[in-house]
Each structure stands twice: as C-alpha cells, then as structure tokens.
Amino acid sequence: MTMYDRTPAEECVVVDRWDGGLGWVSHPGETGVRASHAFVDEEDGVWVVDPLEAPGVDDVLDSLGTVTGVVVLSNYHARDAEAFATRYDVPIYLPSWLSRAADRIERPVRTVTDTIGSSGFA
C-alpha cells in the first residue's frame, strides 16, 4: 500500500454524509487516506474544503447546490484547490495564519480572519 497515492484517482468514494454536507476520498486504498469535504451554507452555497480530484466528484458536489468557494485549511492541503476553483470559477480562501499554502497557489486567494462566509465555521 502507498502512503499517499499521487496518481489520478479512479473513483470518488463518499465516506460520510450529513444534513448539509459530505466527505469523500479519492484514493481509498492509500494508507494515509486523505479526505475532502463540502458543506452547505444556506446563505452562501457550497464550500469545498481541502479538495482532491476524483471521477464523479462534480456530480457529488452538484447534488449539494452551487459551489461558492474553495477553502484550504492546512499548509499541506493546497492539493487540487486550484483545479476546483478554476472549474467552478470561485475564489480560494485561506486562514490568515497559513503561509506555505499561499505559495503553492497561483490564483488570487482571499484571506479568512474569522469565519468562512456566513457559515459560522472558523
């Protein structure tokens, strides 16, 4: 088994679902098992958090509503944020204390200093 599989994903596996959101993994066989999440903010739309590409992930996200932004919550999770932001034509949001992630993203980013949109998530 590989710790982190860097090859293109072959499947999107939804690993959790709750009222207003879900999580998925792109490489369920990897030892590290990196998860991505999306949640619905009733005022803003769907926020995609630390996303990894996977076949069918757009259908999964579309089932939640309109994507409003991509959020990166760790310096090591820039991963596929740019691809999602470009595809959905939305901004990338980073907490103000992140440094490394901003250097790994070419698109303009918006800094989050308190909460993500009107979601209440900080």
Side-chain angles (χ1 to χ4, degrees):
M1 271 187 149
T2 302
M3 181 63 137
Y4 298 117
D5 188 343
R6 306 291 188 204
T7 63
E10 294 182 9
E11 61 183 318
C12 174
V13 178
V14 175
V15 292
D16 58 353
R17 192 180 291 267
W18 65 93
D19 186 29
L22 56 83
W24 75 92
V25 296
S26 300
H27 297 280
E30 69 183 7
T31 305
V33 190
R34 297 166 293 158
S36 304
H37 292 85
F39 67 90
V40 179
D41 174 359
E42 295 299 327
E43 287 185 37
D44 295 330
V46 178
W47 294 95
V48 180
V49 182
D50 297 339
L52 279 172
E53 290 283 10
V57 71
D58 293 321
D59 294 333
V60 170
L61 294 175
D62 291 346
S63 74
L64 296 175
T66 302
V67 173
T68 196
V70 174
V71 183
V72 174
L73 295 178
S74 168
N75 273 319
Y76 298 94
H77 291 181
R79 324 196 269 211
D80 294 329
E82 230 170 346
F84 279 81
T86 299
R87 189 164 58 248
Y88 286 99
D89 193 26
V90 297
I92 297 174
Y93 295 81
L94 300 175
S96 58
W97 47 267
L98 288 186
S99 57
R100 180 180 185 267
D103 293 339
R104 301 178 68 83
I105 297 171
E106 292 183 19
R107 288 177 60 97
V109 299
R110 294 187 183 173
T111 302
V112 176
T113 56
D114 51 9
T115 61
I116 300 168
S118 62
S119 70
F121 287 101

